[in-house]
Amino acid sequence: MKKISLLLTGLFALGTCFAQVNEREKITELGKAYKSFCFRNAPPKNTVKDLELNTPPNLKQASSFVVQSLLVDNDLLKTVYLDLPEQPTLKYIYLIRAVFLNLASENPANTDKLLDSLSAANIPRNELVDTYYSMLFTAVGNKNQPFNFSKCDFKLKEYHLSNDTEKGIFFLRCMDFCGSTIWGYMNIVKPPNTKEAGAYLKRFPKINGLAYYQFDDFSFPDFDMTIIQNKGKQSYKEYYINKYYELLLSHLVCMNANGAKEKEKTDLLLGSILKDKNLYKYTKHKDTLESLFQVQN
């Protein structure tokens, strides 16, 4: 009986080992595919089929998300994907993205060793949530053209976001994506193309039934994480709230240039965090904001 027990134990351990290898292989395969097809080019149909085959059960949700992120006109704005997954799936998606970032680096590390290290690491939940919505909105931007969120109303209570921090991450990642084109119109084009930027702003989503700029729930605790590779840890609020202020200021400039009504400008000024002095410590535009309201007064 003892020999049989030892044999069964050995077979169980061997089965666990094979399961781990299969998971690792699929994570690596998905990371490589993401590297090849996460931008504008679409994967061949046979590549998509291969990615969907032989997926370990624990990886099915993560695999489905990554495959969607590769498809043109994907479904990532449907609730099934806007819903925040459970922690294990978030970790798998984090690992898949880590493989992509590693392979895209100048001197990539050994993939197996990287996955061993990260699998054993306790990755802060905020970083997992940020990775998920970063990949989601990046994929929408890369694959779903032209941009038009005008029919979207992101109701943050419906996406299993567990606290104000996670809701803030969702919002700031969404605005980072939406605001990137506005930044280009206002900073790269010379002179700034306020007409096109203004038209683009009209295609922004609603948040909780309100205009995007009315979201003001940024009282969640700040945290540090690596936002730009090779730049070390940065304050999340300083980086993303600063970018959000830039978007709001660009919106105001567009309103002034495009002849918006005074009521519309007042709604933006007083209905957004442009007036919130408690948040000015997170932006490089504190002087501009303070002078703006001195002029208004």
Side-chain angles (χ1 to χ4, degrees):
M1 291 295 292
K2 187 175 182 180
K3 288 183 178 180
I4 293 174
S5 177
L6 288 172
L7 178 61
L8 290 174
T9 301
L11 288 172
F12 176 78
L14 184 61
T16 301
C17 179
F18 278 126
Q20 290 173 342
V21 169
N22 288 337
E23 281 187 0
R24 179 185 294 170
E25 288 174 352
K26 181 55 71 171
I27 288 169
T28 302
E29 182 185 7
L30 288 164
K32 288 180 177 179
Y34 189 77
K35 176 179 179 292
S36 297
F37 302 109
C38 66
F39 298 105
R40 291 296 177 91
N41 52 326
K45 290 183 179 180
N46 64 310
T47 298
V48 174
K49 289 181 179 179
D50 289 344
L51 290 173
E52 293 173 335
L53 288 174
N54 302 320
T55 302
N58 290 346
L59 265 171
K60 283 190 179 296
Q61 189 177 2
S63 176
S64 174
F65 173 76
V66 173
V67 169
Q68 275 297 317
S69 75
L70 308 180
L71 302 180
V72 175
D73 295 326
N74 56 61
D75 292 330
L76 290 178
L77 291 181
K78 292 185 176 179
T79 301
V80 65
Y81 293 109
L82 293 172
D83 274 353
L84 186 66
E86 297 293 334
Q87 185 91 354
T89 296
L90 289 176
K91 182 70 176 283
Y92 283 130
I93 291 169
Y94 182 93
L95 295 175
I96 292 164
R97 181 172 175 267
V99 171
F100 152 66
L101 291 173
N102 178 55
L103 294 175
S105 65
E106 186 175 353
N107 298 301
N110 178 274
T111 300
D112 287 341
K113 289 182 179 179
L114 174 70
L115 289 176
D116 284 342
S117 173
L118 290 177
S119 296
N122 182 23
I123 309 299
R125 180 173 171 83
N126 290 343
E127 293 190 30
L128 300 179
V129 175
D130 177 79
T131 294
Y132 184 77
Y133 288 116
S134 167
M135 290 177 68
L136 186 148
F137 286 114
T138 296
V140 171
N142 287 341
K143 302 290 188 171
N144 299 2
Q145 299 292 328
F147 168 85
N148 191 349
F149 276 21
S150 61
K151 295 182 180 179
C152 293
D153 184 357
F154 296 126
K155 297 179 180 178
L156 304 188
K157 291 182 179 180
E158 297 181 0
Y159 305 140
H160 297 98
L161 302 162
S162 62
N163 53 43
D164 288 343
T165 301
E166 293 179 7
K167 292 174 185 176
I169 290 170
F170 180 106
F171 176 80
L172 289 170
R173 274 301 191 173
C174 179
M175 288 301 109
D176 182 48
F177 157 61
C178 292
S180 60
T181 298
I182 300 298
W183 190 91
Y185 282 133
M186 303 300 290
N187 293 276
I188 296 177
V189 178
K190 301 296 181 183
N193 192 336
T194 53
K195 182 178 179 180
E196 287 298 323
Y200 198 91
L201 283 159
K202 291 179 180 178
R203 301 197 291 272
F204 269 38
K206 289 183 178 179
I207 307 293
N208 300 327
L210 301 172
Y212 86 91
Y213 60 78
Q214 290 180 272
F215 183 88
D216 62 357
D217 196 357
F218 298 109
S219 59
F220 60 86
D222 194 13
F223 58 94
D224 293 341
M225 62 171 279
T226 299
I227 298 171
I228 300 175
Q229 296 299 309
N230 301 320
K231 284 206 171 184
K233 302 281 187 180
Q234 294 175 269
S235 158
Y236 197 85
K237 282 187 167 184
E238 282 186 10
Y239 187 84
Y240 285 108
I241 290 180
N242 177 66
K243 295 186 80 172
Y244 181 48
Y245 268 119
E246 289 177 349
L247 169 60
L248 293 171
L249 288 169
S250 292
H251 194 158
L252 184 61
V253 170
C254 289
M255 281 185 160
N256 285 326
N258 297 334
K261 296 178 181 178
E262 288 301 315
K263 182 184 181 303
E264 293 175 331
K265 290 187 280 186
T266 300
D267 286 346
L268 177 63
L269 282 164
L270 301 183
S272 72
I273 64 166
L274 285 172
K275 68 179 186 308
D276 193 342
K277 294 182 179 180
N278 291 327
L279 294 175
Y280 289 179
K281 61 185 176 182
Y282 296 118
T283 180
K284 300 173 183 176
H285 304 285
K286 178 182 177 182
D287 291 344
T288 300
L289 292 163
E290 290 178 340
S291 64
L292 177 65
F293 282 94
Q294 286 174 359
V295 170
Q296 292 295 316
N297 292 335

